[in-house]
Amino acid sequence: EVQLVESGGGLVQPGGSLRLSCAASGFTFRSHWMHWVRQAPGKGLVWVSRINSDESNISYADSVKGRFTISRDNAKNTLYLQMNSLRVEDTAVYYCTRGLSGTAIDYWGQGTLVTVSA
Amino acid sequence: SYELTQPPSVSVSPGQTARITCSGDAFPKKYGYWYQQKSGQAPVLVIYEDSKRPSGIPERFSGSSSGTVATLTISGAQVEDEADYYCYSTDSSGNHRGVFGGGTKLTVL
């Protein structure tokens, strides 16, 4: 069974940093592209970033480019999202998701809430 | 930036057919994907590559794509199908960035 378990969310002040982790199990992690998707309270889904199997192909949404960094550790079956210079508008549930045929998404974690507030 | 456009809401009675559309200029070249999100839950993939159904998804869910419009069809909608539905694709840039539609609230009552 595919499992994606996010951690690292919490309350942070504007301008602060946070690092999200996603522990993957139930599939061959190193063979899949991975994505982060977020959802602000009461709003729709927004694609944030994706990374290919060996970290050679990475892409970001314009809203986070230059502030967020996606990475992975295939030995630990773990995906990361380093979030710097956080803004109030970054407040959202962040979902770790598995890539389907690379650029699409099939499985989702349960999400971790990030709140940016003074 | 690339956008996918969905109607904010669709309403049907139980047993009727619900159709949710998603408009995007890249659809003739890009696949469409559909996700169901029930209240308080993570999204679930219900249609991939325009018209394929993952295992475990009921046969009443189907997808199609024509020109710049992808469509999710729920034939004989049931009360438990009430949820938010999101389409997804990628832009035409070399970066293949993901894009979600704004979501459609399906009401079945």
Side-chain angles (χ1 to χ4, degrees), chain A residues 35 37 39 43-47 50 59-62 95 100-101 103-106 108-110, chain B residues 1 33 35 37 41-45 48-49 86 88 90 94-102:
Chain A
H35 304 244
V37 176
Q39 186 171 35
K43 302 295 185 181
L45 302 172
V46 176
W47 180 86
R50 63 147 177 82
S59 187
Y60 298 97
D62 287 342
Y95 292 101
L100 171 65
S101 303
T103 56
I105 292 167
D106 54 7
W108 298 64
Q110 286 303 305
Chain B
S1 60
Y33 299 79
Y35 302 89
Q37 186 179 34
Q41 298 182 19
V44 172
L45 178 69
Y48 68 101
E49 293 178 1
Y86 295 89
Y88 171 92
T90 54
N95 289 325
H96 304 293
R97 293 182 294 187
V99 181
F100 285 96

Short mmCIF file of all heavy atoms in Angstrom, two decimals, chain A residues 35 37 39 43-47 50 59-62 95 100-101 103-106 108-110, chain B residues 1 33 35 37 41-45 48-49 86 88 90 94-102:
data_model
loop_
_atom_site.label_atom_id
_atom_site.label_comp_id
_atom_site.label_asym_id
_atom_site.label_seq_id
_atom_site.Cartn_x
_atom_site.Cartn_y
_atom_site.Cartn_z
N HIS A 35 5.90 15.40 -6.13
CA HIS A 35 5.40 16.78 -6.19
C HIS A 35 4.95 17.24 -4.81
O HIS A 35 4.55 16.43 -3.98
CB HIS A 35 4.16 16.88 -7.10
CG HIS A 35 4.33 16.38 -8.49
ND1 HIS A 35 4.23 17.20 -9.61
CD2 HIS A 35 4.55 15.13 -8.99
CE1 HIS A 35 4.38 16.48 -10.70
NE2 HIS A 35 4.57 15.22 -10.36
N VAL A 37 1.94 19.91 -3.41
CA VAL A 37 0.73 20.66 -3.76
C VAL A 37 0.21 21.30 -2.49
O VAL A 37 0.29 20.69 -1.42
CB VAL A 37 -0.35 19.74 -4.37
CG1 VAL A 37 -1.65 20.51 -4.65
CG2 VAL A 37 0.16 19.07 -5.64
N GLN A 39 -2.97 23.80 -0.43
CA GLN A 39 -4.37 24.22 -0.45
C GLN A 39 -4.61 25.17 0.71
O GLN A 39 -4.59 24.75 1.87
CB GLN A 39 -5.30 23.01 -0.36
CG GLN A 39 -6.77 23.33 -0.51
CD GLN A 39 -7.61 22.07 -0.64
OE1 GLN A 39 -7.33 21.04 -0.03
NE2 GLN A 39 -8.68 22.13 -1.44
N LYS A 43 -9.88 27.10 0.00
CA LYS A 43 -9.54 27.41 -1.39
C LYS A 43 -9.20 26.14 -2.17
O LYS A 43 -9.29 25.03 -1.66
CB LYS A 43 -8.34 28.37 -1.44
CG LYS A 43 -8.57 29.67 -0.69
CD LYS A 43 -9.67 30.49 -1.33
CE LYS A 43 -9.80 31.84 -0.64
NZ LYS A 43 -10.90 32.66 -1.22
N GLY A 44 -8.82 26.32 -3.44
CA GLY A 44 -8.54 25.19 -4.31
C GLY A 44 -7.10 24.69 -4.21
O GLY A 44 -6.27 25.22 -3.47
N LEU A 45 -6.82 23.65 -4.99
CA LEU A 45 -5.49 23.06 -5.03
C LEU A 45 -4.56 23.90 -5.88
O LEU A 45 -4.96 24.40 -6.94
CB LEU A 45 -5.58 21.64 -5.60
CG LEU A 45 -6.48 20.66 -4.87
CD1 LEU A 45 -6.61 19.36 -5.66
CD2 LEU A 45 -5.97 20.38 -3.48
N VAL A 46 -3.32 24.00 -5.42
CA VAL A 46 -2.31 24.75 -6.17
C VAL A 46 -1.03 23.91 -6.23
O VAL A 46 -0.49 23.51 -5.20
CB VAL A 46 -2.00 26.11 -5.49
CG1 VAL A 46 -0.87 26.83 -6.23
CG2 VAL A 46 -3.25 26.99 -5.45
N TRP A 47 -0.56 23.67 -7.44
CA TRP A 47 0.69 22.94 -7.62
C TRP A 47 1.86 23.82 -7.20
O TRP A 47 1.89 25.02 -7.53
CB TRP A 47 0.83 22.55 -9.09
CG TRP A 47 2.07 21.81 -9.42
CD1 TRP A 47 2.27 20.47 -9.33
CD2 TRP A 47 3.30 22.35 -9.91
NE1 TRP A 47 3.54 20.14 -9.74
CE2 TRP A 47 4.19 21.28 -10.08
CE3 TRP A 47 3.73 23.65 -10.20
CZ2 TRP A 47 5.49 21.46 -10.55
CZ3 TRP A 47 5.02 23.84 -10.66
CH2 TRP A 47 5.88 22.75 -10.83
N ARG A 50 7.93 20.15 -8.28
CA ARG A 50 8.13 18.73 -8.55
C ARG A 50 9.62 18.47 -8.74
O ARG A 50 10.40 19.36 -9.06
CB ARG A 50 7.36 18.30 -9.79
CG ARG A 50 7.79 18.97 -11.06
CD ARG A 50 7.63 18.04 -12.25
NE ARG A 50 7.99 18.74 -13.49
CZ ARG A 50 9.26 18.89 -13.89
NH1 ARG A 50 10.25 18.36 -13.21
NH2 ARG A 50 9.51 19.54 -15.01
N SER A 59 11.18 21.80 -10.94
CA SER A 59 10.38 22.93 -11.39
C SER A 59 9.57 23.48 -10.22
O SER A 59 9.22 22.75 -9.30
CB SER A 59 9.45 22.48 -12.52
OG SER A 59 8.79 23.57 -13.09
N TYR A 60 9.28 24.80 -10.28
CA TYR A 60 8.53 25.48 -9.22
C TYR A 60 7.44 26.36 -9.82
O TYR A 60 7.56 26.87 -10.94
CB TYR A 60 9.46 26.40 -8.42
CG TYR A 60 10.58 25.69 -7.70
CD1 TYR A 60 11.85 25.62 -8.25
CD2 TYR A 60 10.37 25.11 -6.44
CE1 TYR A 60 12.88 24.97 -7.59
CE2 TYR A 60 11.40 24.47 -5.78
CZ TYR A 60 12.65 24.40 -6.36
OH TYR A 60 13.67 23.76 -5.71
N ALA A 61 6.40 26.56 -9.04
CA ALA A 61 5.41 27.57 -9.38
C ALA A 61 6.04 28.95 -9.21
O ALA A 61 6.93 29.14 -8.37
CB ALA A 61 4.19 27.44 -8.47
N ASP A 62 5.58 29.91 -10.00
CA ASP A 62 6.15 31.26 -9.93
C ASP A 62 6.04 31.85 -8.53
O ASP A 62 6.91 32.60 -8.09
CB ASP A 62 5.45 32.18 -10.93
CG ASP A 62 5.84 31.88 -12.37
OD1 ASP A 62 6.88 31.22 -12.59
OD2 ASP A 62 5.09 32.30 -13.28
N TYR A 95 0.49 19.15 0.68
CA TYR A 95 0.38 17.73 0.37
C TYR A 95 1.62 17.22 -0.36
O TYR A 95 2.07 17.85 -1.33
CB TYR A 95 -0.83 17.46 -0.53
CG TYR A 95 -2.18 17.67 0.10
CD1 TYR A 95 -2.92 18.83 -0.15
CD2 TYR A 95 -2.74 16.70 0.95
CE1 TYR A 95 -4.18 19.01 0.41
CE2 TYR A 95 -3.99 16.88 1.50
CZ TYR A 95 -4.70 18.05 1.23
OH TYR A 95 -5.93 18.22 1.80
N LEU A 100 2.85 10.44 -11.41
CA LEU A 100 2.31 9.43 -12.33
C LEU A 100 2.81 9.80 -13.73
O LEU A 100 2.50 10.89 -14.23
CB LEU A 100 0.78 9.44 -12.29
CG LEU A 100 0.07 8.60 -13.34
CD1 LEU A 100 0.37 7.12 -13.15
CD2 LEU A 100 -1.44 8.83 -13.28
N SER A 101 3.55 8.92 -14.34
CA SER A 101 4.15 9.23 -15.64
C SER A 101 4.90 10.55 -15.59
O SER A 101 4.86 11.34 -16.55
CB SER A 101 3.07 9.28 -16.74
OG SER A 101 2.36 8.06 -16.82
N THR A 103 4.96 13.87 -14.83
CA THR A 103 4.42 15.21 -14.54
C THR A 103 3.02 15.20 -13.94
O THR A 103 2.54 16.26 -13.52
CB THR A 103 4.40 16.04 -15.84
OG1 THR A 103 3.66 15.34 -16.84
CG2 THR A 103 5.81 16.28 -16.35
N ALA A 104 2.36 14.06 -13.89
CA ALA A 104 1.03 14.00 -13.27
C ALA A 104 1.17 13.46 -11.85
O ALA A 104 2.27 13.23 -11.36
CB ALA A 104 0.11 13.13 -14.10
N ILE A 105 0.03 13.28 -11.18
CA ILE A 105 0.00 12.91 -9.76
C ILE A 105 -1.00 11.79 -9.56
O ILE A 105 -2.11 11.84 -10.11
CB ILE A 105 -0.41 14.13 -8.91
CG1 ILE A 105 0.68 15.20 -8.93
CG2 ILE A 105 -0.72 13.71 -7.47
CD1 ILE A 105 0.23 16.56 -8.38
N ASP A 106 -0.61 10.74 -8.80
CA ASP A 106 -1.61 9.74 -8.46
C ASP A 106 -1.91 9.72 -6.97
O ASP A 106 -2.99 10.07 -6.54
CB ASP A 106 -1.27 8.35 -9.03
CG ASP A 106 0.12 7.84 -8.68
OD1 ASP A 106 0.82 8.49 -7.86
OD2 ASP A 106 0.51 6.79 -9.23
N TRP A 108 -1.74 10.76 -2.85
CA TRP A 108 -1.59 11.94 -2.03
C TRP A 108 -1.41 11.53 -0.56
O TRP A 108 -2.01 10.56 -0.10
CB TRP A 108 -2.85 12.81 -2.10
CG TRP A 108 -3.17 13.33 -3.47
CD1 TRP A 108 -3.49 12.59 -4.58
CD2 TRP A 108 -3.22 14.69 -3.87
NE1 TRP A 108 -3.73 13.42 -5.65
CE2 TRP A 108 -3.58 14.73 -5.24
CE3 TRP A 108 -3.02 15.91 -3.20
CZ2 TRP A 108 -3.73 15.92 -5.95
CZ3 TRP A 108 -3.17 17.10 -3.91
CH2 TRP A 108 -3.52 17.09 -5.27
N GLY A 109 -0.60 12.32 0.17
CA GLY A 109 -0.57 12.17 1.61
C GLY A 109 -1.75 12.88 2.24
O GLY A 109 -2.58 13.45 1.53
N GLN A 110 -1.82 12.87 3.56
CA GLN A 110 -2.93 13.52 4.26
C GLN A 110 -2.69 15.01 4.49
O GLN A 110 -3.61 15.73 4.87
CB GLN A 110 -3.20 12.82 5.59
CG GLN A 110 -3.91 11.50 5.43
CD GLN A 110 -5.22 11.64 4.66
OE1 GLN A 110 -6.10 12.41 5.01
NE2 GLN A 110 -5.37 10.88 3.57
N SER B 1 0.45 33.26 -17.11
CA SER B 1 0.63 31.86 -16.75
C SER B 1 -0.56 31.04 -17.25
O SER B 1 -1.64 31.55 -17.48
CB SER B 1 0.77 31.72 -15.23
OG SER B 1 -0.37 32.19 -14.57
N TYR B 33 -6.35 15.22 -16.17
CA TYR B 33 -6.49 14.33 -15.01
C TYR B 33 -7.57 14.93 -14.11
O TYR B 33 -7.75 16.15 -14.07
CB TYR B 33 -5.17 14.24 -14.22
CG TYR B 33 -4.03 13.70 -15.03
CD1 TYR B 33 -3.36 14.50 -15.95
CD2 TYR B 33 -3.63 12.36 -14.91
CE1 TYR B 33 -2.33 14.00 -16.74
CE2 TYR B 33 -2.60 11.85 -15.69
CZ TYR B 33 -1.96 12.68 -16.60
OH TYR B 33 -0.95 12.17 -17.37
N TYR B 35 -9.42 14.82 -10.09
CA TYR B 35 -9.30 14.44 -8.69
C TYR B 35 -10.60 14.78 -7.98
O TYR B 35 -11.19 15.84 -8.20
CB TYR B 35 -8.13 15.16 -8.02
CG TYR B 35 -6.82 14.88 -8.72
CD1 TYR B 35 -6.39 15.68 -9.77
CD2 TYR B 35 -6.03 13.79 -8.34
CE1 TYR B 35 -5.20 15.40 -10.43
CE2 TYR B 35 -4.84 13.52 -8.99
CZ TYR B 35 -4.44 14.33 -10.05
OH TYR B 35 -3.27 14.05 -10.71
N GLN B 37 -12.21 15.43 -4.21
CA GLN B 37 -11.86 15.76 -2.83
C GLN B 37 -13.12 15.92 -2.01
O GLN B 37 -13.87 16.89 -2.20
CB GLN B 37 -10.99 17.02 -2.74
CG GLN B 37 -10.49 17.29 -1.33
CD GLN B 37 -9.63 18.53 -1.23
OE1 GLN B 37 -9.82 19.51 -1.93
NE2 GLN B 37 -8.63 18.47 -0.34
N GLN B 41 -10.85 15.68 3.48
CA GLN B 41 -10.02 14.57 3.05
C GLN B 41 -9.02 15.00 1.97
O GLN B 41 -9.17 16.05 1.35
CB GLN B 41 -10.88 13.43 2.51
CG GLN B 41 -11.84 12.84 3.53
CD GLN B 41 -12.64 11.69 2.96
OE1 GLN B 41 -12.28 11.09 1.95
NE2 GLN B 41 -13.74 11.35 3.62
N ALA B 42 -8.00 14.17 1.77
CA ALA B 42 -7.06 14.40 0.69
C ALA B 42 -7.71 14.04 -0.65
O ALA B 42 -8.62 13.21 -0.70
CB ALA B 42 -5.80 13.57 0.90
N PRO B 43 -7.26 14.65 -1.72
CA PRO B 43 -7.81 14.32 -3.04
C PRO B 43 -7.49 12.88 -3.44
O PRO B 43 -6.53 12.28 -2.97
CB PRO B 43 -7.09 15.31 -3.98
CG PRO B 43 -6.69 16.43 -3.09
CD PRO B 43 -6.34 15.79 -1.78
N VAL B 44 -8.35 12.37 -4.34
CA VAL B 44 -8.20 11.02 -4.89
C VAL B 44 -8.27 11.12 -6.41
O VAL B 44 -9.16 11.79 -6.95
CB VAL B 44 -9.31 10.09 -4.37
CG1 VAL B 44 -9.28 8.75 -5.09
CG2 VAL B 44 -9.19 9.90 -2.86
N LEU B 45 -7.37 10.43 -7.09
CA LEU B 45 -7.37 10.40 -8.56
C LEU B 45 -8.55 9.56 -9.04
O LEU B 45 -8.69 8.40 -8.64
CB LEU B 45 -6.06 9.82 -9.06
CG LEU B 45 -5.89 9.65 -10.57
CD1 LEU B 45 -5.80 11.01 -11.26
CD2 LEU B 45 -4.65 8.81 -10.88
N TYR B 48 -7.30 9.44 -15.23
CA TYR B 48 -5.99 9.87 -15.67
C TYR B 48 -5.86 9.70 -17.19
O TYR B 48 -6.59 8.93 -17.80
CB TYR B 48 -4.88 9.12 -14.93
CG TYR B 48 -4.77 7.63 -15.23
CD1 TYR B 48 -3.80 7.14 -16.09
CD2 TYR B 48 -5.62 6.71 -14.61
CE1 TYR B 48 -3.69 5.79 -16.34
CE2 TYR B 48 -5.52 5.36 -14.85
CZ TYR B 48 -4.53 4.90 -15.71
OH TYR B 48 -4.43 3.56 -15.97
N GLU B 49 -4.94 10.45 -17.77
CA GLU B 49 -4.71 10.44 -19.21
C GLU B 49 -6.02 10.54 -19.98
O GLU B 49 -6.32 9.72 -20.85
CB GLU B 49 -3.90 9.21 -19.61
CG GLU B 49 -2.49 9.26 -19.05
CD GLU B 49 -1.65 8.03 -19.38
OE1 GLU B 49 -2.15 7.12 -20.07
OE2 GLU B 49 -0.50 7.98 -18.93
N TYR B 86 -11.39 18.54 -9.20
CA TYR B 86 -10.36 19.39 -9.78
C TYR B 86 -9.77 18.71 -11.03
O TYR B 86 -9.44 17.52 -10.98
CB TYR B 86 -9.23 19.63 -8.79
CG TYR B 86 -9.62 20.40 -7.57
CD1 TYR B 86 -10.11 19.76 -6.43
CD2 TYR B 86 -9.51 21.79 -7.54
CE1 TYR B 86 -10.47 20.47 -5.31
CE2 TYR B 86 -9.88 22.52 -6.41
CZ TYR B 86 -10.35 21.85 -5.30
OH TYR B 86 -10.72 22.56 -4.19
N TYR B 88 -6.55 18.73 -13.78
CA TYR B 88 -5.11 18.98 -13.68
C TYR B 88 -4.47 18.69 -15.03
O TYR B 88 -4.87 17.76 -15.74
CB TYR B 88 -4.50 18.08 -12.61
CG TYR B 88 -2.98 18.10 -12.56
CD1 TYR B 88 -2.30 18.98 -11.74
CD2 TYR B 88 -2.23 17.21 -13.32
CE1 TYR B 88 -0.91 18.99 -11.67
CE2 TYR B 88 -0.85 17.21 -13.27
CZ TYR B 88 -0.19 18.11 -12.45
OH TYR B 88 1.18 18.11 -12.39
N THR B 90 -0.55 20.00 -17.39
CA THR B 90 0.71 20.71 -17.31
C THR B 90 0.78 21.76 -18.40
O THR B 90 0.11 21.65 -19.43
CB THR B 90 1.90 19.74 -17.47
OG1 THR B 90 1.75 19.00 -18.68
CG2 THR B 90 1.98 18.78 -16.30
N GLY B 94 8.76 24.26 -21.38
CA GLY B 94 9.71 23.16 -21.25
C GLY B 94 9.81 22.64 -19.83
O GLY B 94 10.26 21.52 -19.60
N ASN B 95 9.34 23.44 -18.86
CA ASN B 95 9.40 23.03 -17.46
C ASN B 95 8.28 22.08 -17.06
O ASN B 95 8.35 21.47 -15.99
CB ASN B 95 9.35 24.25 -16.54
CG ASN B 95 10.64 25.05 -16.61
OD1 ASN B 95 11.71 24.49 -16.75
ND2 ASN B 95 10.52 26.37 -16.52
N HIS B 96 7.23 21.96 -17.88
CA HIS B 96 6.09 21.06 -17.59
C HIS B 96 5.55 21.29 -16.18
O HIS B 96 5.40 20.34 -15.40
CB HIS B 96 6.53 19.60 -17.75
CG HIS B 96 7.09 19.30 -19.10
ND1 HIS B 96 6.34 19.31 -20.25
CD2 HIS B 96 8.34 18.99 -19.49
CE1 HIS B 96 7.10 19.02 -21.28
NE2 HIS B 96 8.31 18.82 -20.85
N ARG B 97 5.29 22.53 -15.86
CA ARG B 97 4.76 22.82 -14.54
C ARG B 97 3.30 22.41 -14.43
O ARG B 97 2.53 22.54 -15.40
CB ARG B 97 4.92 24.31 -14.21
CG ARG B 97 6.38 24.71 -14.08
CD ARG B 97 6.53 26.16 -13.72
NE ARG B 97 6.06 27.04 -14.79
CZ ARG B 97 6.21 28.34 -14.77
NH1 ARG B 97 6.80 28.91 -13.74
NH2 ARG B 97 5.77 29.08 -15.76
N GLY B 98 2.92 21.92 -13.27
CA GLY B 98 1.55 21.48 -13.07
C GLY B 98 0.60 22.64 -12.90
O GLY B 98 0.98 23.73 -12.44
N VAL B 99 -0.66 22.41 -13.28
CA VAL B 99 -1.70 23.42 -13.14
C VAL B 99 -3.00 22.73 -12.76
O VAL B 99 -3.37 21.73 -13.39
CB VAL B 99 -1.93 24.19 -14.46
CG1 VAL B 99 -3.01 25.25 -14.27
CG2 VAL B 99 -0.65 24.84 -14.95
N PHE B 100 -3.69 23.26 -11.75
CA PHE B 100 -5.01 22.77 -11.37
C PHE B 100 -6.06 23.76 -11.82
O PHE B 100 -5.83 24.98 -11.81
CB PHE B 100 -5.12 22.60 -9.86
CG PHE B 100 -4.41 21.40 -9.31
CD1 PHE B 100 -3.13 21.53 -8.80
CD2 PHE B 100 -5.01 20.16 -9.30
CE1 PHE B 100 -2.45 20.44 -8.30
CE2 PHE B 100 -4.35 19.05 -8.80
CZ PHE B 100 -3.07 19.19 -8.30
N GLY B 101 -7.23 23.25 -12.17
CA GLY B 101 -8.37 24.11 -12.35
C GLY B 101 -8.85 24.62 -11.00
O GLY B 101 -8.40 24.15 -9.96
N GLY B 102 -9.76 25.59 -11.02
CA GLY B 102 -10.22 26.20 -9.79
C GLY B 102 -11.12 25.32 -8.94
O GLY B 102 -11.39 25.65 -7.78
#
